[in-house]
Amino acid sequence: MPSTGPELNVLNVVLAAVPIAILIITMLVSALKWSAPKAGAVAWLAAAGLALLVFGADERVLAIGSSKGLSLSLFVLTIIWTSVMLYNVIERINGITVIGRTITGLVRDPLAQALVVGWAFSGLIQGVAGFGLPIAVVAPFMVMIGFRPATAVAITLVGHAWAVTFGSLGSSYYTIQLVSGLDERALGVQMAAMFVLPTILTGFAVAHLQGGFASLRRGAFAILVMGAAMSAGLWVTAFLGAYQVASVVGGLIGCVVGWWIFRLPIFGLSGNGDNASPSTEQPAGKSNGIGFHTAFLPYYLLFGLSLLSQLPPVRELGSNPYFGLNFPPTETALGFPVEGQDGYAKIKLLNHPAPLIVASLLIAYVVYKVRGHWKGEVLRPAARKTYEQVISNSVGVATMVMMALVMTDTGMTALLGSAIAKGTGTLFPIFSPYIGVLGAFMTGSNTNSNAMFGALQVETAAALGIGLVTIAATQSIGGSLGSSVAMSKVMAGTAVVGLGGREREVLVKTIPYCLVLVLVAGLQAWVIINLLGGV
Amino acid sequence: MISKSKVQQIALWVMAADFPLLYLGAVTFDNLAVTIIALIIMAAAAVAAGIAF
């Protein structure tokens, strides 16, 4: 619990919750249906007003918090801008049609597509690169193969959530380990074991999103087999101490097992077209002279460059040229301190998705030009369309992340976390992952959520005399599953599929799954601590 | 009459342009006047966004 900063009382907690309540109520209540930028702008104004009037911020604290928010927004927005541009360029050269027809020809069953692409493959991408890339790549890819845009984004958001903690080369895992100070192996192995249930359940959630209870029943056995294989891959990799590639291994195994299992006729999920939608009946092959592999080239390149960027020498080489601002320490009048940070939200030349997407696009441009696919005007109309698509999301991300950082730097977020921790008592393990969700919802990052709340969770567990490792793992699992409702990720998804300003359509789909999955994670923690004597 | 779409774009560009001012005022120069001006501009852009989106 914070020993400094705003006092923990009902009025302060209610006031600290106001900006988040504005976001949730205005966007989700059907009578209002505000767009993300409108809700974000009002929520930032509310957070700024409360910070100045109630939580002891001065104009410098407010400006620094807002600047940090804009820095973090730039980190996210560069991924959105470049991935939307990439999609629009491929569309201009007729590549989207070719990709959609070919993939649906290979795996025609929509349930198989949802599970293999939206669950296993998105987890694989999260493992390789993370930082929102699974949403930026997989959501439009699912639209290409025939899914409705809001469903495609929702499936990707829920589908990749199992892979976040051990994704991005284990950045979230290492963060919770560092802030909690717990033994690396004890935490990693137990957390990987505790991810088994959430991993399998995200598969069921994806199936339900795709086709309701009919898909749940039809896909149950396949989901259990895939989920068990993915979880086993994740756990064994963590057991071997290779936490940074645990999600990569799990995702890869899921893709292979999924591709294999849906070809077994005994499951009634054959990929031969029994359930194919009318749009998939068109022949696969070429459109206007472009073949599948050529059309898909930028995504091949992106995957290859992402892998290459993780090799230690390349990683070291690409880490130095970066954009990231330095921020001094701050303290509110109520004594809430924030440490100074150098190179905040770094955009590294070779370790951030945006430069990799641009490099993929440039290489693909050369190939398309040589092969004669780059005919007439491509770049200018694609850029114009991209600009029109990203205006709403850019304002939405900027205002919401500014709100989140103002709340963080003035102690409002820590106060909310403390209130949950103190108010729940022996039921704390059940509510613990919701604190992780809160952090991910606000900052769009499991890593930031762990940095924000990891110490608080462990301190609370120590005060209650319950399992520190279990609670630390539960915090990160909550942050991971909370990625399915993280606003910046939701907005990245709506931008790339052309649903900018209609985030509500995605959120109403993902929130129920997130709440249920997190409740299961909380109950799991309670059982481990109270019935199994978990540490 | 300025269109809603134009106001949306203006809100975005004003926020983008105000970012360096906000940082310079609060961090680089640590100047109260510049910081307050930058915050007022950001608030105005947020109000415009709240109306236009």
Side-chain angles (χ1 to χ4, degrees):
Chain A
M1 321 259 167
S3 53
T4 53
E7 188 188 338
L8 181 57
N9 59 43
V10 175
L11 180 64
N12 277 349
V13 171
V14 169
L15 290 174
V18 165
I20 298 175
I22 288 173
L23 268 191
I24 295 172
I25 293 169
T26 58
M27 289 183 70
L28 296 184
V29 171
S30 55
L32 295 170
K33 285 187 187 174
W34 282 13
S35 64
K38 188 185 186 83
V42 175
W44 175 73
L45 287 167
L50 286 165
L52 290 170
L53 299 174
V54 180
F55 292 97
D58 58 17
E59 68 293 327
R60 184 169 173 270
V61 171
L62 183 59
I64 288 177
S66 300
S67 295
K68 282 183 185 171
L70 290 169
S71 292
L72 196 55
S73 302
L74 198 60
F75 184 98
V76 177
L77 287 172
T78 46
I79 302 172
I80 298 178
W81 296 334
T82 49
S83 54
V84 174
M85 180 68 183
L86 179 66
Y87 181 89
N88 286 334
V89 165
I90 299 172
E91 188 182 46
R92 289 290 307 176
I93 59 162
N94 296 316
I96 299 297
T97 317
V98 176
I99 293 169
R101 281 184 196 168
T102 308
I103 298 291
T104 47
L106 287 172
V107 187
R108 288 192 172 188
D109 189 297
L111 175 58
Q113 292 167 347
L115 291 173
V116 175
V117 179
W119 183 33
F121 184 62
S122 66
L124 172 62
I125 299 279
Q126 176 65 34
V128 172
F131 304 120
L133 195 63
I135 314 300
V137 170
V138 178
F141 183 58
M142 296 200 69
V143 173
M144 291 175 208
I145 60 180
F147 283 80
R148 287 173 48 223
T151 307
V153 177
I155 284 177
T156 313
L157 284 164
V158 175
H160 91 297
W162 66 272
V164 182
T165 283
F166 289 106
S168 316
L169 288 183
S171 58
S172 304
Y173 160 72
Y174 286 113
T175 303
I176 189 71
Q177 193 268 323
L178 285 171
V179 299
S180 67
L182 295 166
D183 177 68
E184 186 176 308
R185 182 171 174 77
L187 180 62
V189 173
Q190 180 165 334
M191 196 192 298
M194 288 174 67
F195 256 110
V196 173
L197 198 52
T199 300
I200 293 171
L201 289 178
T202 49
F204 279 103
V206 164
H208 191 256
L209 270 165
Q210 181 274 321
F213 286 102
S215 285
L216 270 188
R217 281 192 296 274
R218 206 159 60 89
F221 188 77
I223 293 166
L224 287 172
V225 173
M226 281 177 73
M230 289 155 70
S231 305
L234 188 114
W235 186 83
V236 169
T237 313
F239 183 79
L240 295 171
Y243 312 105
Q244 69 275 24
V245 290
S247 289
V248 177
V249 172
L252 202 56
I253 290 174
C255 290
V256 173
V257 172
W259 182 83
W260 165 76
I261 205 164
F262 287 114
R263 296 187 167 267
L264 297 178
I266 55 167
F267 296 115
L269 292 167
S270 166
N272 293 328
D274 292 344
N275 301 295
S277 62
S279 64
T280 64
E281 299 293 337
Q282 300 158 49
K286 296 188 171 187
S287 173
N288 294 340
I290 189 167
F292 170 78
H293 294 296
T294 311
F296 206 67
L297 179 68
Y299 291 108
Y300 284 138
L301 288 166
L302 182 55
F303 189 71
L305 289 173
S306 298
L307 278 176
L308 192 68
S309 72
Q310 304 306 342
L311 295 175
V314 182
R315 197 172 170 74
E316 202 172 317
L317 189 74
S319 291
N320 272 330
Y322 68 83
F323 170 80
L325 297 173
N326 299 334
F327 288 97
T330 58
E331 187 169 335
T332 65
L334 300 180
F336 186 80
V338 177
E339 286 179 15
Q341 279 177 292
D342 287 343
Y344 185 80
K346 283 180 185 173
I347 299 176
K348 298 174 186 169
L349 184 62
L350 292 177
N351 296 124
H352 183 276
L356 299 181
I357 294 171
V358 172
S360 305
L361 191 54
L362 287 175
I363 299 170
Y365 163 77
V366 174
V367 175
Y368 291 154
K369 198 81 181 164
V370 169
R371 291 192 164 195
H373 299 304
W374 196 281
K375 294 171 188 160
E377 275 216 293
V378 174
L379 215 52
R380 194 190 296 264
R384 185 184 298 275
K385 191 176 176 189
T386 302
Y387 173 68
E388 287 165 1
Q389 278 176 293
V390 301
I391 290 172
S392 163
N393 297 73
S394 302
V395 174
V397 169
T399 51
M400 283 191 198
V401 182
M402 278 201 295
M403 174 211 77
L405 269 295
V406 167
M407 287 183 66
T408 302
D409 279 10
T410 53
M412 294 159 80
T413 309
L415 192 70
L416 290 175
S418 299
I420 295 172
K422 194 160 186 173
T424 53
T426 54
L427 295 177
F428 176 64
I430 297 173
F431 291 91
S432 161
Y434 287 99
I435 298 176
V437 173
L438 175 66
F441 173 78
M442 292 178 61
T443 64
S445 158
N446 188 182
T447 302
N448 289 346
S449 175
N450 288 351
M452 200 185 285
F453 290 124
L456 170 80
Q457 295 256 23
V458 172
E459 282 171 26
T460 308
L464 292 169
I466 58 176
L468 304 185
V469 175
T470 306
I471 290 299
T474 305
Q475 150 65 30
S476 199
I477 291 171
S480 194
L481 296 173
S483 296
S484 59
V485 294
M487 281 313 301
S488 57
K489 288 193 173 182
V490 171
M491 284 187 275
T494 55
V496 288
V497 302
L499 278 184
R502 290 160 63 186
E503 292 74 22
R504 181 181 180 276
E505 292 176 32
V506 175
L507 279 172
V508 293
K509 286 179 186 287
T510 58
I511 285 177
Y513 296 101
C514 177
L515 293 179
V516 171
L517 289 167
V518 174
L519 178 63
V520 172
L523 289 170
Q524 172 180 255
W526 188 88
V527 168
I528 290 171
I529 287 169
N530 291 291
L531 303 182
L532 304 176
V535 291
Chain B
M1 186 74 181
I2 191 162
S3 72
K4 225 172 185 182
S5 153
K6 273 272 184 280
V7 179
Q8 291 176 353
Q9 292 183 55
I10 290 168
L12 172 64
W13 285 106
V14 170
M15 280 182 187
D18 194 39
F19 179 20
L21 193 63
L22 206 55
Y23 183 80
L24 288 171
V27 180
T28 311
F29 304 133
D30 197 3
N31 183 295
L32 180 68
V34 178
T35 304
I36 289 175
I37 289 168
L39 282 170
I40 290 170
I41 292 171
M42 189 61 77
V47 170
I51 294 166
F53 280 96

